[in-house]
Amino acid sequence: MLYNMRMRKNTKNDFKLSKPIRHVAFIMDGNGRWAKLRGLPRHFGHHEACNRIIEIFETCREFDIHVMSFYAFSTENWNRPQDEIDHLMDYLEEFFNKEIDYLCSIGAKLRISGDLSRIREKTRAVCLDALERTKDNSSWILNICLNYGGRDEIVRATKKIAQDVKDGKLAIDDIDEKLFADNLYTVGLPDIDLMIRTSGEQRLSNYLLYQNAYSEFVFTPVKWPDFKRAAFIDCLKEFESRNRRFGGLDNA
Ligand code: IPE
Ligand code: IPE
Ligand code: MG
């Protein structure tokens, strides 16, 4: 009961999306700078960042956005100091341990996109448990991209398809965009409508390269730990102002 109050207490919004968003993706950037500005070690920013995930998830629900992807750790983030990586993993575990009951209670399904095999055992176990506990849910999808890299994902999909062709399970002519998408971590998820990167950086950093083919990009200067409901709604308004043509012409 208490958990379900979370969404309702915030629901007083005068803005409505006229075109639905089926999938929103976030590059949660700026945690280190957020902490540095406050004279704190970088990992304080990562800790605060985890609190924003559930808050933004709630705002998505409010706007009937059912699928959300969050970039939590990239294949390039292994280049960071081990101490920072350890803190990141600690906070991810804390996030799952804290939120999993709530996610279950509202019928949310967790997905993890990325190679879990390189993630330390303790964190992997927490992730696998959360996946298992939410596997039959379908109302909301929380896709956490963990040890995720877009190029790595595409190479993996290519290898898998090549193997299927070699084994005679597939013919070359069976390979099309849909089949390729079905071999990505995000299999079954709709294309991304809106991709938001916080902190002012304007690049993809190897994020969902195939899936972002026709998404609208919104770059906000707000650093992720400060990215709350109001800042997200500003991004939704920006999305609302866009004219999506998908290579065609305006209807007008
Ligand atoms: C994003 O924040 C979180 C991860 C990449 C894991 P950063 O840690 O990149 O923060 P900045 O960009 O250095 O401020
Ligand atoms: C992208 O942010 C990865 C995540 C948010 C998890 P980075 O901070 O690692 O990206 P670059 O290095 O600035 O491109
Ligand atoms: Mg960064």
Side-chain angles (χ1 to χ4, degrees):
M1 272 308 274
L2 179 71
Y3 283 130
N4 282 324
M5 296 294 286
R6 273 189 181 183
M7 184 165 84
R8 263 182 257 131
K9 76 172 182 214
N10 280 334
T11 310
K12 47 172 173 357
N13 103 68
D14 46 9
F15 165 71
K16 295 225 172 338
L17 285 168
S18 68
K19 34 193 178 195
I21 294 178
R22 297 207 303 158
H23 184 174
V24 60
F26 300 94
I27 301 181
M28 310 188 280
D29 199 15
N31 303 347
R33 278 166 284 167
W34 180 90
K36 201 173 163 210
L37 272 170
R38 285 157 180 78
L40 299 167
R42 288 177 55 84
H43 69 84
F44 277 68
H46 298 313
H47 193 243
E48 188 59 24
C50 289
N51 296 329
R52 290 295 88 69
I53 297 177
I54 209 73
E55 182 170 341
I56 294 302
F57 172 81
E58 287 310 310
T59 312
C60 287
R61 295 180 66 216
E62 197 185 311
F63 284 88
D64 226 20
I65 304 171
H66 287 259
V67 182
M68 311 129 218
S69 291
F70 293 89
Y71 206 2
F73 192 86
S74 75
T75 46
E76 288 70 37
N77 287 148
W78 295 110
N79 294 326
R80 300 203 175 189
Q82 190 59 43
D83 178 62
E84 180 168 345
I85 296 172
D86 289 345
H87 274 108
L88 269 162
M89 296 303 151
D90 288 346
Y91 299 146
L92 267 171
E93 287 172 25
E94 189 183 309
F95 170 79
F96 285 129
N97 288 330
K98 192 166 137 207
E99 302 296 350
I100 192 68
D101 286 342
Y102 171 61
L103 293 173
C104 288
S105 77
I106 57 164
K109 184 189 184 87
L110 175 75
R111 296 267 302 250
I112 294 184
S113 295
D115 179 11
L116 277 182
S117 69
R118 197 177 162 188
I119 299 293
R120 71 184 189 193
E121 202 179 329
K122 190 155 68 92
T123 310
R124 190 167 60 239
V126 171
C127 291
L128 292 177
D129 178 60
L131 286 171
E132 175 63 24
R133 286 187 58 194
T134 62
K135 72 177 189 318
D136 297 324
N137 298 342
S138 58
S139 302
W140 312 95
I141 295 180
L142 179 63
N143 178 36
I144 303 283
C145 299
L146 180 55
N147 191 20
Y148 173 86
R151 287 184 171 180
D152 175 66
E153 179 184 42
I154 288 169
V155 169
R156 276 166 196 272
T158 307
K159 281 187 179 165
K160 191 165 174 301
I161 293 166
Q163 189 66 52
D164 284 350
V165 171
K166 194 174 167 210
D167 295 346
K169 294 185 197 155
L170 273 181
I172 288 196
D173 283 344
D174 293 331
I175 304 171
D176 58 13
E177 292 182 10
K178 163 86 171 62
L179 183 125
F180 201 86
D182 288 347
N183 282 279
L184 299 173
Y185 290 120
T186 50
V187 50
L189 302 186
D191 280 344
I192 299 167
D193 296 300
L194 171 61
M195 203 289 297
I196 297 173
R197 183 171 190 148
T198 58
S199 89
E201 307 296 354
Q202 302 192 7
R203 54 178 171 267
L204 267 179
S205 302
N206 206 8
Y207 190 43
L208 298 169
L209 300 181
Y210 193 87
Q211 300 86 340
N212 266 312
Y214 249 110
S215 47
E216 294 295 326
F217 288 9
V218 173
F219 298 104
T220 167
V222 178
K223 294 175 186 63
W224 180 263
D226 286 330
F227 191 70
K228 301 184 180 178
R229 181 177 177 275
F232 181 30
I233 291 178
D234 285 345
C235 296
L236 295 178
K237 288 181 178 166
E238 171 64 30
F239 173 82
E240 185 74 9
S241 74
R242 302 280 177 89
N243 186 355
R244 305 185 80 192
R245 288 184 291 276
F246 298 98
L249 299 176
D250 286 341
N251 288 330

